[in-house]
Amino acid sequence: MFTGLIEQTSPVLSINKTSALTELEIQNTTFDDLNIGDSIAVNGVCLTVTKLEEQSFFVEIINETNKITSLSELRNGDLLNLERAMRLDQRLGGHIVSGHVDGTGVIAGIYNDGDALVITVECPRELMKYMTLKGSVTIDGISLTLFDINLENNTFILNIIPETQSKTTLGQKKQGDVVNIEADMMIKHINHLLNFEKAGGTHV
């Protein structure tokens, strides 16, 4: 589990693609407690550390993950949002994030409103049912608040504060960029239970 609070941004050092999987090498200058087998959220995608170097670590991305996330579009030098798995003794400052991306969206508009960066995200229709006004959403691993929702256009609006702009990759985004979306876990579970009951399901 994660919180959606980004701990560091780091560049991709190398990408090794085969027909079976993609291996990323990611620079690491902050995490001194990483171990092989640890979970780490990379742009919101929960991945496993497979190898460690002095100032980098490696993760592997299977083909299915490439299909449903934006990681397939990465290039050498791209900055990534990173968060280690949360500990049970820490404050939950964002919201509960699983690292299981539901789909991708596209930045449809972006502008400044004072110090805030206002981003409009075009979202897959099937995910819009999880978007609630002032609710939570995870974008590229970042816990954010939904400031407005337009169901007709399948879009939602985010207001990004200066701290988030400087500590994550959102400050560098532009119109047309693809982002990973993870909907609020609680809403997804409630929706599943309601649909399960409507379909005549029973609980053991």
Side-chain angles (χ1 to χ4, degrees):
M1 292 294 179
F2 305 92
T3 67
L5 300 183
I6 302 306
E7 296 184 282
Q8 75 174 58
T9 58
S10 292
V12 177
L13 297 181
S14 67
I15 302 174
N16 180 27
K17 291 187 177 183
T18 70
S19 60
L21 56 79
T22 300
E23 181 183 64
L24 297 183
E25 182 184 7
I26 301 170
Q27 182 175 304
N28 176 34
T29 58
T30 303
F31 303 148
D32 57 5
D33 61 349
L34 274 187
N35 294 295
I36 293 175
D38 283 355
S39 294
I40 188 163
V42 178
N43 277 6
V45 184
C46 181
L47 299 174
T48 301
V49 176
T50 58
K51 188 165 57 175
L52 292 169
E53 299 289 350
E54 186 173 346
Q55 289 193 318
S56 66
F57 64 90
F58 292 74
V59 293
E60 294 177 343
I61 307 167
I62 59 174
N63 293 337
E64 180 64 20
T65 302
N66 270 327
K67 288 178 185 176
I68 63 174
T69 74
S70 66
L71 296 185
S72 61
E73 301 187 7
L74 289 176
R75 296 172 294 180
N76 284 343
D78 283 351
L79 277 182
L80 302 169
N81 296 315
L82 303 178
E83 183 191 354
R84 291 168 293 181
M86 65 180 294
R87 301 192 313 265
L88 291 178
D89 63 346
Q90 71 187 82
R91 289 186 177 93
L92 182 59
H95 71 282
I96 298 174
V97 176
S98 69
H100 300 158
V101 170
D102 295 302
T104 58
V106 177
I107 294 180
I110 187 166
Y111 66 92
N112 290 99
D113 181 9
D115 287 339
L117 185 67
V118 181
I119 297 177
T120 301
V121 178
E122 185 176 343
C123 179
R125 181 65 184 177
E126 64 270 18
L127 297 184
M128 284 302 297
K129 62 178 176 288
Y130 304 126
M131 305 301 155
T132 60
L133 193 62
K134 307 304 181 184
S136 296
V137 67
T138 307
I139 301 294
D140 277 353
I142 308 160
S143 174
L144 297 168
T145 300
L146 292 154
F147 276 80
D148 199 4
I149 298 164
N150 189 322
L151 294 177
E152 291 183 2
N153 294 333
N154 296 325
T155 59
F156 56 79
I157 293 177
L158 309 165
N159 278 247
I160 314 302
I161 64 172
E163 175 73 6
T164 304
Q165 294 176 45
S166 65
K167 295 295 178 64
T168 75
T169 60
L170 283 184
Q172 303 176 12
K173 292 295 184 183
K174 59 186 182 300
Q175 187 171 341
D177 283 352
V178 177
V179 294
N180 293 320
I181 299 174
E182 181 185 331
D184 184 89
M185 187 185 304
M186 294 184 184
I187 295 178
K188 286 191 292 186
H189 281 300
I190 291 170
N191 180 73
H192 168 73
L193 289 172
L194 290 174
N195 287 332
F196 185 77
E197 292 296 338
K198 287 179 182 177
T202 57
H203 296 286
V204 178

